[in-house]
Amino acid sequence: MKSCSAMESTSCLKFSLMSLIWIIVLMNEMHGYKGCLETERTALLEIKSFFISVSDIGYDDEILPSWVGEDDGMSSDCCDDWEGVMCNATTRRVMQLSLNNTRRLKYYDRTSASLLINMSLFHPFEELQRLDLPGNWFTGFYKNRAYDSFGSLKQLKMLNLGANFFNDNILPYLNTLTSLTTLILSDNSIEGSRTKQGLANLRYLQVLDLSGNFNITSGSLTRLGLANLTNLKKLYLDQCGITTIQGLANLTNLQVLVLSDNRNLTTIAHVGLADLPNLKALDLGYCGITTIQGI
Ligand SMILES: *[C@@H]1O[C@H](CO)[C@@H](O)[C@H](O)[C@H]1NC(C)=O
Ligand SMILES: *[C@@H]1O[C@H](CO)[C@@H](O)[C@H](O)[C@H]1NC(C)=O
Ligand SMILES: *[C@@H]1O[C@H](CO)[C@@H](O)[C@H](O)[C@H]1NC(C)=O
Ligand SMILES: *[C@@H]1O[C@H](CO)[C@@H](O)[C@H](O)[C@H]1NC(C)=O
Ligand SMILES: *[C@@H]1O[C@H](CO)[C@@H](O)[C@H](O)[C@H]1NC(C)=O
Ligand SMILES: *[C@@H]1O[C@H](CO)[C@@H](O)[C@H](O)[C@H]1NC(C)=O
Ligand SMILES: *[C@@H]1O[C@H](CO)[C@@H](O)[C@H](O)[C@H]1NC(C)=O
């Protein structure tokens, strides 16, 4: 091994110091780099393109403007800088995605607004725990096979599909998302009339919001599989079309039951509140109830 001679020692020392400094700088860069995964970054940009492609012309600059690619001249970290994206601090993988009211249309027109969404867009996000997609005028999912529609979303705990036009056709797909603890389906067109299993498989579900689905009728509660969801703690059924609440007596863990604004709901005798020992809040505002027994 060639060592530094006395004559060369100064420059030799300089060289070694320089190398050391470079190594430190490089290690710092690697350690300090906290961008999200490249595959997830690419997938996010695909989602942005999708929302632009299904919006009206003229809104491109208003749709997820903070989601910019590398080639836009600035470095931007999708975990820290992109709106609606939240990553796991350790793995830097996307944990939550909020795509509220992301699709932009000039005016409300139900027929021309209808749109299927391809859930494969979300397959790369294997650590996704929460997905918000409210207010985007979606009518259904592209017909992937039901069992792989949600692909690798094995950790999804909360799914918010509120304020869209989804109907019973999505129920077989949702019924495969057994990791869910919260499901928001408010203000859609779910009826529960055309479903075999409903949501009966979602046994870990604790919060279910079906409010504002005007055509959910009483018989639908059973068809929707609600009686099987014995871990439910909060159930929102306001502004549906229900007239009786048959099928809820098995939900012994229920703490909050909202039934308001069901004008033709005249009795809750079918449940017998003694069946719901954990009930803390019961909302019967704007119902047609005239007598209450068994409280
Ligand atoms: C982030 O990921 C780590 C490693 O997988 C995991 O232990 C931790 O629970 C995650 N954090 C959250 C908030 O999910
Ligand atoms: C998205 O909407 C839901 C309610 O539907 C709300 O709870 C959530 O905070 C919203 N997310 C953002 C980022 O505004
Ligand atoms: C859905 O997206 C996946 C992946 O992006 C693609 O392979 C598939 O063809 C798409 N399906 C439809 C019906 O567009
Ligand atoms: C409820 O059903 C009626 C009659 O079939 C239909 O006209 C209406 O659009 C439905 N409403 C919703 C919110 O699905
Ligand atoms: C729902 O409950 C009924 C009655 O206990 C049972 O026969 C059925 O297998 C359950 N369905 C699911 C999907 O767990
Ligand atoms: C509801 O409870 C009744 C009485 O305990 C039982 O016979 C029935 O199978 C239960 N239904 C479901 C869907 O678990
Ligand atoms: C209540 O029932 C009546 C008679 O069946 C029906 O005409 C009316 O539309 C119902 N109202 C609601 C809010 O469902």
Side-chain angles (χ1 to χ4, degrees), residues 192 217-224 242-244:
T217 51
S218 301
S220 321
L221 297 184
T222 314
R223 280 193 297 275
L224 281 166
I242 55 178
T243 51
T244 69

Side-chain angles (χ1 to χ4, degrees), residues 29-44:
E29 292 253 294
M30 283 166 69
H31 187 71
Y33 181 71
K34 292 206 163 180
C36 59
L37 237 62
E38 193 53 39
T39 48
E40 295 197 332
R41 183 186 177 88
T42 308
L44 288 170

Side-chain angles (χ1 to χ4, degrees), residues 50 103 110 113-119 122 133 136-144 149-150 161 164-171 173-174 188-190:
F50 165 75
R103 184 180 182 205
R110 180 171 176 152
S114 70
L115 174 74
L116 301 178
I117 180 168
N118 185 351
M119 291 309 285
F122 301 99
L133 286 168
N136 287 303
W137 290 282
F138 292 133
T139 39
F141 299 147
Y142 269 118
K143 296 226 180 303
N144 297 1
S149 170
F150 288 96
L161 299 174
N164 282 288
F165 295 134
F166 288 116
N167 60 29
D168 287 2
N169 292 337
I170 67 165
L171 297 175
Y173 301 94
L174 298 181
N188 278 282
S189 301
I190 307 283

Side-chain angles (χ1 to χ4, degrees), residues 8-164:
E8 292 167 338
S9 65
T10 320
S11 62
C12 186
L13 186 65
K14 254 188 198 162
F15 178 77
S16 308
L17 268 176
M18 281 301 281
S19 318
L20 194 64
I21 287 167
W22 269 117
I23 288 167
I24 289 170
V25 166
L26 270 176
M27 281 178 68
N28 248 341
E29 292 253 294
M30 283 166 69
H31 187 71
Y33 181 71
K34 292 206 163 180
C36 59
L37 237 62
E38 193 53 39
T39 48
E40 295 197 332
R41 183 186 177 88
T42 308
L44 288 170
L45 290 174
E46 264 170 41
I47 290 172
K48 175 174 176 170
S49 306
F50 165 75
F51 275 104
I52 289 176
S53 74
V54 298
S55 294
D56 282 339
I57 298 167
Y59 287 110
D60 297 19
D61 295 340
E62 291 173 35
I63 295 170
L64 304 170
S66 60
W67 296 23
V68 288
E70 302 273 19
D71 53 1
D72 290 357
M74 39 183 153
S75 78
S76 121
D77 180 344
C78 38
C79 283
D80 296 336
D81 304 331
W82 292 17
E83 64 187 288
V85 180
M86 193 186 281
C87 297
N88 179 308
T90 315
T91 63
R92 303 303 284 176
R93 298 203 60 166
V94 175
M95 232 169 62
Q96 295 187 13
L97 259 183
S98 293
L99 294 161
N100 296 12
N101 314 306
T102 304
R103 184 180 182 205
R104 304 294 296 276
L105 299 176
K106 283 203 178 67
Y107 55 88
Y108 171 90
D109 172 0
R110 180 171 176 152
T111 41
S112 69
S114 70
L115 174 74
L116 301 178
I117 180 168
N118 185 351
M119 291 309 285
S120 309
L121 281 170
F122 301 99
H123 284 186
F125 307 103
E126 289 174 16
E127 288 188 20
L128 198 63
Q129 292 181 12
R130 172 172 178 161
L131 177 58
D132 286 277
L133 286 168
N136 287 303
W137 290 282
F138 292 133
T139 39
F141 299 147
Y142 269 118
K143 296 226 180 303
N144 297 1
R145 285 158 300 179
Y147 61 83
D148 66 10
S149 170
F150 288 96
S152 42
L153 299 182
K154 299 280 185 283
Q155 298 193 24
L156 199 63
K157 294 204 166 53
M158 165 160 185
L159 179 61
N160 178 359
L161 299 174
N164 282 288

